[in-house]
Amino acid sequence: MINFVTSGESHGKGLIAVVSGFPANLKITESEINEQLKRRQAGYGRGLRMKIESDTAEIFSGIRFNKSIGSPISMLIRNKDWENWTEKMSVGITKDPVEIISIPRPGHADLVGTLKYDYDDIRNSIERSSARETAARVAACTVARIFLREFGIEIGSYVESIGGIYPKNNFSGSLFTNSLPKFFSGFELNKLSDASSVRVLDKEQEKKVINRIKLAKKRGDSLGGTFFVVATGLPVGLGSFSEIDSRLDSELSKSIMSIQAVKGVEIGLGFQAANSFGSDVHDEIIFKKDKFTRRTNNAGGIEGSISTGLPVIIRGAMKPISTLMTPLNTVDLTTMKKVESRRERSDFVAVPACAVIAESMVAWTIAKFFLLKFGGDSLAETKDNYNNYSQKLVGRVKAKFRKS
Ligand code: EPS
């Protein structure tokens, strides 16, 4: 079973990720991890912090001569901003007392975290609840992404909307109608979305979105949005209907929902399916070129919580960033009186980054189910198991159901 933990505070010395459970002989380089970290940092509408940081992962263990050796892989991402926070985020007691934060921001973890953990400074809540933690997630999940690529599974994403601005022709249409070109993959999708500074697929929409972000900045406000994650190349049979935590769709939803500021997840047509006739929603089964497929992909590549082999389609919704430069009202914990919330350096919009993080989490979850099914201590062993299953899949059905 694969596992990862992250550690680190937003303005501490750095972030650490420890990844375990992957087979030996997987080719892993720091540069591939750094490529993904760079994608996470991009996007028009991010704050000053992204100008300070140029996130890079230093691999500490688990890799030798660019190959995994089957032991835990640990990585460190140093916070460049740490040099400005050595006093405020000191591990030991400081000579002079540091500023105590007593004004919680609405929408953030500030108040609930302080109440729950009995903190004497809201800074403790701010630090670990910050989406800075996702840099370590992306680093960890890149191991899963690299692993899946060995089996032709690619994860891509695009931003569908920011601040309520949607494209005229929504690309999700072609995802659900299963009318994607043959060469389409998650990788190809990222080539298109990464070319836009807000990771949208429509030029007209891009202009409007950028103007909306400019308006939000001017007003000292923030924006959220929606995004799609698409995973291609999955085999039939990842996940199961037999146990609650073996369901592919529920584990994928959980992994997206675990991302800071995500408030909604859909698989396939999702909420739209609830308003339709069954005949408009369910995907007719076809047998073509010795393979089972579907006429449409409204189910988003998952039936009965098991992958169908069609692209897995997930849509997520991110709320607007909670820190506002034109603040809402809150309560000062030193007086219990109404005050304006604190201004804290932040992003105005982070939906493009959120989509990259969601890709990473999806890669992790798919890799988890993949290794549960195919196992293996070395990449070659996993490949043998996978090939054996894939090659015999349809033949077995034919043999079992053939009328004598
Ligand atoms: C982030 C770093 C943070 C924020 C952002 C994500 O940097 P700082 O707080 O030092 O400006 O920009 O955090 C949040 C949006 C949040 O809600 O906390 C990052 O590296 O992604």
Side-chain angles (χ1 to χ4, degrees), residues 80-303:
K80 284 218 175 107
D81 206 18
W82 159 246
E83 59 188 53
N84 304 313
W85 290 78
T86 50
E87 292 287 306
K88 280 189 195 160
M89 288 302 293
S90 167
V91 173
I93 309 280
T94 51
K95 212 161 77 228
D96 301 313
V98 299
E99 180 205 8
I100 299 289
I101 298 175
S102 63
I103 301 175
R105 292 163 298 171
H108 222 289
D110 296 2
L111 181 60
V112 284
T114 300
L115 293 174
K116 177 180 165 65
Y117 290 103
D118 192 22
Y119 290 143
D120 55 5
D121 182 352
I122 289 175
R123 168 66 51 205
N124 291 343
S125 260
I126 295 175
E127 287 296 321
R128 183 62 184 165
S129 63
S130 166
R132 176 92 191 123
E133 182 263 345
T134 59
R137 290 199 204 196
V138 169
C141 295
T142 303
V143 176
R145 197 192 279 269
I146 291 169
F147 167 76
L148 292 176
R149 200 181 297 148
E150 290 286 339
F151 300 89
I153 302 172
E154 301 275 358
I155 329 286
S157 73
Y158 69 95
V159 170
E160 182 198 31
S161 71
I162 286 179
I165 297 175
Y166 287 79
K168 261 213 185 97
N169 297 316
N170 203 332
F171 180 73
S172 63
S174 50
L175 292 175
F176 296 131
T177 52
N178 203 12
S179 60
L180 294 163
K182 277 254 164 328
F183 60 83
F184 178 85
S185 69
F187 177 76
E188 295 295 328
L189 177 58
N190 280 344
K191 276 210 251 171
L192 299 174
S193 53
D194 286 349
S196 158
S197 65
V198 283
R199 306 200 67 242
V200 298
L201 302 177
D202 183 294
K203 279 276 156 222
E204 271 303 298
Q205 182 200 12
E206 183 181 53
K207 269 191 244 154
K208 287 187 194 159
V209 162
I210 288 172
N211 284 338
R212 182 61 61 99
I213 298 171
K214 281 184 182 158
L215 181 67
K217 272 190 186 176
K218 207 165 116 192
R219 288 189 186 169
D221 219 321
S222 63
L223 294 169
T226 58
F227 56 86
F228 274 93
V229 179
V230 184
T232 55
L234 275 78
V236 180
L238 299 189
S240 168
F241 45 70
S242 68
E243 305 291 338
I244 293 168
D245 57 5
S246 64
R247 292 184 173 271
L248 179 62
D249 41 9
S250 70
E251 290 297 297
L252 282 170
S253 307
K254 182 169 129 187
S255 72
I256 303 287
M257 199 56 119
S258 75
I259 302 168
Q260 294 81 341
V262 166
K263 285 294 191 185
V265 187
E266 295 178 317
I267 307 276
L269 271 193
F271 277 70
Q272 202 189 314
N275 303 327
S276 316
F277 284 112
S279 55
D280 291 330
V281 168
H282 300 299
D283 306 308
E284 286 188 330
I285 300 171
I286 303 170
F287 190 68
K288 211 164 79 182
K289 292 188 184 151
D290 221 31
K291 259 187 175 170
F292 291 104
T293 184
R294 308 290 189 283
R295 202 170 294 285
T296 48
N297 190 16
N298 294 326
I302 303 173
E303 284 174 346

Side-chain angles (χ1 to χ4, degrees), residues 69-81:
I69 55 172
S71 53
I73 299 166
S74 63
M75 292 174 256
L76 170 68
I77 302 164
R78 289 179 203 275
N79 286 330
K80 284 218 175 107
D81 206 18

